[in-house]
Amino acid sequence: MRDNLVGGAVAGVIGGLAEMATGFLLIITGLARVTTLHAAIRFMTPTGAEPGPLTIVSGIIHHLTMSAVLGVVLLYILKLTGTDYYLLKGFGFALVVYVFLTRGLGVFFVPRDLLVPDALTQFAGIISHVVGGLVTAFVVASFSPEQLRS
């Protein structure tokens, strides 16, 4: 893809889907109780209401939109710094996003009991974020070489 915004957004959405899939796999295996998608759905649910079909769809759109924006940011980071060690950069970017956005700013928008239910779920959140960051970095580095050179 030749457009920076589209290339980064597509890479981010693919990474976001990988993060969601990892989160659901961790729930199925019993390693996590909630995922970042659950937090996004809760964010889109009116106070005192139970999540319904529209809030679930809204939460998915919210999660993938944030993933798209972060994919664009990662594309520009790789454009600025180069694609050497792109997986390491994706790993570090994912950890920064996890610490500052999910756990830092998230406490202002999502109830703490949902955001931090237990230590194993927190660790599972780190794993899913890292998978998303690695996939996004891989997609940017592999399928968007034009953006990274110009």
mmCIF file of all heavy atoms in Angstrom, residues 57-77:
data_model
loop_
_atom_site.group_PDB
_atom_site.id
_atom_site.type_symbol
_atom_site.label_atom_id
_atom_site.label_comp_id
_atom_site.label_asym_id
_atom_site.label_seq_id
_atom_site.Cartn_x
_atom_site.Cartn_y
_atom_site.Cartn_z
ATOM 1 N N VAL A 57 -21.110 -4.426 19.405
ATOM 2 C CA VAL A 57 -20.620 -3.980 18.093
ATOM 3 C C VAL A 57 -19.850 -2.672 18.253
ATOM 4 O O VAL A 57 -18.771 -2.494 17.664
ATOM 5 C CB VAL A 57 -21.786 -3.829 17.094
ATOM 6 C CG1 VAL A 57 -21.332 -3.136 15.820
ATOM 7 C CG2 VAL A 57 -22.389 -5.187 16.777
ATOM 8 N N SER A 58 -20.371 -1.753 19.065
ATOM 9 C CA SER A 58 -19.680 -0.483 19.306
ATOM 10 C C SER A 58 -18.316 -0.716 19.952
ATOM 11 O O SER A 58 -17.343 -0.040 19.618
ATOM 12 C CB SER A 58 -20.518 0.438 20.193
ATOM 13 O OG SER A 58 -21.722 0.767 19.553
ATOM 14 N N GLY A 59 -18.237 -1.652 20.881
ATOM 15 C CA GLY A 59 -16.969 -1.977 21.529
ATOM 16 C C GLY A 59 -15.958 -2.547 20.551
ATOM 17 O O GLY A 59 -14.769 -2.210 20.592
ATOM 18 N N ILE A 60 -16.426 -3.408 19.645
ATOM 19 C CA ILE A 60 -15.529 -3.971 18.627
ATOM 20 C C ILE A 60 -15.024 -2.864 17.706
ATOM 21 O O ILE A 60 -13.824 -2.790 17.399
ATOM 22 C CB ILE A 60 -16.246 -5.083 17.833
ATOM 23 C CG1 ILE A 60 -16.502 -6.292 18.744
ATOM 24 C CG2 ILE A 60 -15.440 -5.487 16.604
ATOM 25 C CD1 ILE A 60 -17.426 -7.341 18.160
ATOM 26 N N ILE A 61 -15.933 -1.974 17.285
ATOM 27 C CA ILE A 61 -15.531 -0.853 16.432
ATOM 28 C C ILE A 61 -14.530 0.036 17.170
ATOM 29 O O ILE A 61 -13.520 0.461 16.598
ATOM 30 C CB ILE A 61 -16.760 -0.057 15.967
ATOM 31 C CG1 ILE A 61 -17.581 -0.902 14.987
ATOM 32 C CG2 ILE A 61 -16.360 1.271 15.332
ATOM 33 C CD1 ILE A 61 -18.938 -0.327 14.662
ATOM 34 N N HIS A 62 -14.793 0.303 18.453
ATOM 35 C CA HIS A 62 -13.880 1.121 19.262
ATOM 36 C C HIS A 62 -12.507 0.475 19.330
ATOM 37 O O HIS A 62 -11.476 1.130 19.128
ATOM 38 C CB HIS A 62 -14.471 1.294 20.662
ATOM 39 C CG HIS A 62 -13.588 2.001 21.628
ATOM 40 N ND1 HIS A 62 -12.691 1.329 22.427
ATOM 41 C CD2 HIS A 62 -13.447 3.316 21.924
ATOM 42 C CE1 HIS A 62 -12.043 2.197 23.173
ATOM 43 N NE2 HIS A 62 -12.487 3.412 22.884
ATOM 44 N N HIS A 63 -12.462 -0.808 19.618
ATOM 45 C CA HIS A 63 -11.196 -1.525 19.751
ATOM 46 C C HIS A 63 -10.420 -1.509 18.434
ATOM 47 O O HIS A 63 -9.210 -1.240 18.413
ATOM 48 C CB HIS A 63 -11.468 -2.958 20.204
ATOM 49 C CG HIS A 63 -10.238 -3.717 20.558
ATOM 50 N ND1 HIS A 63 -9.547 -4.470 19.640
ATOM 51 C CD2 HIS A 63 -9.557 -3.836 21.712
ATOM 52 C CE1 HIS A 63 -8.500 -5.024 20.223
ATOM 53 N NE2 HIS A 63 -8.482 -4.656 21.478
ATOM 54 N N LEU A 64 -11.093 -1.782 17.322
ATOM 55 C CA LEU A 64 -10.407 -1.824 16.036
ATOM 56 C C LEU A 64 -10.004 -0.432 15.562
ATOM 57 O O LEU A 64 -8.982 -0.276 14.889
ATOM 58 C CB LEU A 64 -11.269 -2.538 14.995
ATOM 59 C CG LEU A 64 -11.466 -4.033 15.256
ATOM 60 C CD1 LEU A 64 -12.381 -4.645 14.205
ATOM 61 C CD2 LEU A 64 -10.144 -4.776 15.330
ATOM 62 N N THR A 65 -10.786 0.583 15.926
ATOM 63 C CA THR A 65 -10.400 1.956 15.581
ATOM 64 C C THR A 65 -9.134 2.359 16.327
ATOM 65 O O THR A 65 -8.212 2.943 15.741
ATOM 66 C CB THR A 65 -11.552 2.939 15.894
ATOM 67 O OG1 THR A 65 -12.696 2.550 15.140
ATOM 68 C CG2 THR A 65 -11.172 4.367 15.556
ATOM 69 N N MET A 66 -9.072 2.047 17.611
ATOM 70 C CA MET A 66 -7.855 2.330 18.383
ATOM 71 C C MET A 66 -6.671 1.553 17.802
ATOM 72 O O MET A 66 -5.566 2.074 17.705
ATOM 73 C CB MET A 66 -8.042 1.974 19.859
ATOM 74 C CG MET A 66 -8.951 2.918 20.607
ATOM 75 S SD MET A 66 -8.339 4.612 20.630
ATOM 76 C CE MET A 66 -6.799 4.418 21.502
ATOM 77 N N SER A 67 -6.911 0.316 17.403
ATOM 78 C CA SER A 67 -5.844 -0.487 16.796
ATOM 79 C C SER A 67 -5.360 0.148 15.500
ATOM 80 O O SER A 67 -4.156 0.174 15.225
ATOM 81 C CB SER A 67 -6.347 -1.906 16.519
ATOM 82 O OG SER A 67 -6.688 -2.565 17.713
ATOM 83 N N ALA A 68 -6.284 0.675 14.696
ATOM 84 C CA ALA A 68 -5.914 1.325 13.439
ATOM 85 C C ALA A 68 -5.059 2.562 13.699
ATOM 86 O O ALA A 68 -4.028 2.772 13.042
ATOM 87 C CB ALA A 68 -7.166 1.697 12.643
ATOM 88 N N VAL A 69 -5.465 3.370 14.671
ATOM 89 C CA VAL A 69 -4.695 4.579 15.009
ATOM 90 C C VAL A 69 -3.295 4.196 15.490
ATOM 91 O O VAL A 69 -2.295 4.787 15.074
ATOM 92 C CB VAL A 69 -5.440 5.413 16.074
ATOM 93 C CG1 VAL A 69 -4.558 6.519 16.633
ATOM 94 C CG2 VAL A 69 -6.725 5.993 15.489
ATOM 95 N N LEU A 70 -3.217 3.186 16.342
ATOM 96 C CA LEU A 70 -1.917 2.755 16.850
ATOM 97 C C LEU A 70 -1.064 2.135 15.744
ATOM 98 O O LEU A 70 0.168 2.255 15.766
ATOM 99 C CB LEU A 70 -2.102 1.792 18.017
ATOM 100 C CG LEU A 70 -2.718 2.433 19.263
ATOM 101 C CD1 LEU A 70 -3.091 1.364 20.288
ATOM 102 C CD2 LEU A 70 -1.783 3.463 19.863
ATOM 103 N N GLY A 71 -1.696 1.497 14.760
ATOM 104 C CA GLY A 71 -0.961 0.975 13.616
ATOM 105 C C GLY A 71 -0.309 2.088 12.810
ATOM 106 O O GLY A 71 0.828 1.956 12.357
ATOM 107 N N VAL A 72 -1.021 3.210 12.655
ATOM 108 C CA VAL A 72 -0.449 4.362 11.959
ATOM 109 C C VAL A 72 0.738 4.917 12.748
ATOM 110 O O VAL A 72 1.788 5.224 12.184
ATOM 111 C CB VAL A 72 -1.514 5.452 11.720
ATOM 112 C CG1 VAL A 72 -0.892 6.730 11.182
ATOM 113 C CG2 VAL A 72 -2.591 4.945 10.767
ATOM 114 N N VAL A 73 0.576 5.002 14.063
ATOM 115 C CA VAL A 73 1.675 5.488 14.908
ATOM 116 C C VAL A 73 2.890 4.577 14.768
ATOM 117 O O VAL A 73 4.025 5.052 14.600
ATOM 118 C CB VAL A 73 1.235 5.603 16.385
ATOM 119 C CG1 VAL A 73 2.414 5.905 17.290
ATOM 120 C CG2 VAL A 73 0.141 6.651 16.544
ATOM 121 N N LEU A 74 2.677 3.274 14.817
ATOM 122 C CA LEU A 74 3.797 2.336 14.693
ATOM 123 C C LEU A 74 4.437 2.426 13.308
ATOM 124 O O LEU A 74 5.662 2.350 13.188
ATOM 125 C CB LEU A 74 3.352 0.907 15.003
ATOM 126 C CG LEU A 74 4.448 -0.145 15.026
ATOM 127 C CD1 LEU A 74 5.561 0.219 16.008
ATOM 128 C CD2 LEU A 74 3.876 -1.509 15.361
ATOM 129 N N LEU A 75 3.639 2.619 12.272
ATOM 130 C CA LEU A 75 4.206 2.788 10.932
ATOM 131 C C LEU A 75 5.151 3.978 10.914
ATOM 132 O O LEU A 75 6.260 3.885 10.390
ATOM 133 C CB LEU A 75 3.098 2.972 9.895
ATOM 134 C CG LEU A 75 3.597 3.133 8.459
ATOM 135 C CD1 LEU A 75 2.689 2.385 7.500
ATOM 136 C CD2 LEU A 75 3.688 4.587 8.055
ATOM 137 N N TYR A 76 4.730 5.096 11.493
ATOM 138 C CA TYR A 76 5.599 6.279 11.494
ATOM 139 C C TYR A 76 6.833 6.081 12.371
ATOM 140 O O TYR A 76 7.907 6.593 12.056
ATOM 141 C CB TYR A 76 4.816 7.532 11.906
ATOM 142 C CG TYR A 76 4.055 8.111 10.750
ATOM 143 C CD1 TYR A 76 2.682 7.956 10.654
ATOM 144 C CD2 TYR A 76 4.707 8.788 9.728
ATOM 145 C CE1 TYR A 76 1.978 8.475 9.582
ATOM 146 C CE2 TYR A 76 4.018 9.308 8.652
ATOM 147 C CZ TYR A 76 2.646 9.151 8.578
ATOM 148 O OH TYR A 76 1.963 9.651 7.506
ATOM 149 N N ILE A 77 6.698 5.324 13.451
ATOM 150 C CA ILE A 77 7.880 5.012 14.268
ATOM 151 C C ILE A 77 8.874 4.197 13.443
ATOM 152 O O ILE A 77 10.079 4.475 13.437
ATOM 153 C CB ILE A 77 7.483 4.267 15.558
ATOM 154 C CG1 ILE A 77 6.764 5.216 16.514
ATOM 155 C CG2 ILE A 77 8.707 3.635 16.230
ATOM 156 C CD1 ILE A 77 6.148 4.537 17.715
#
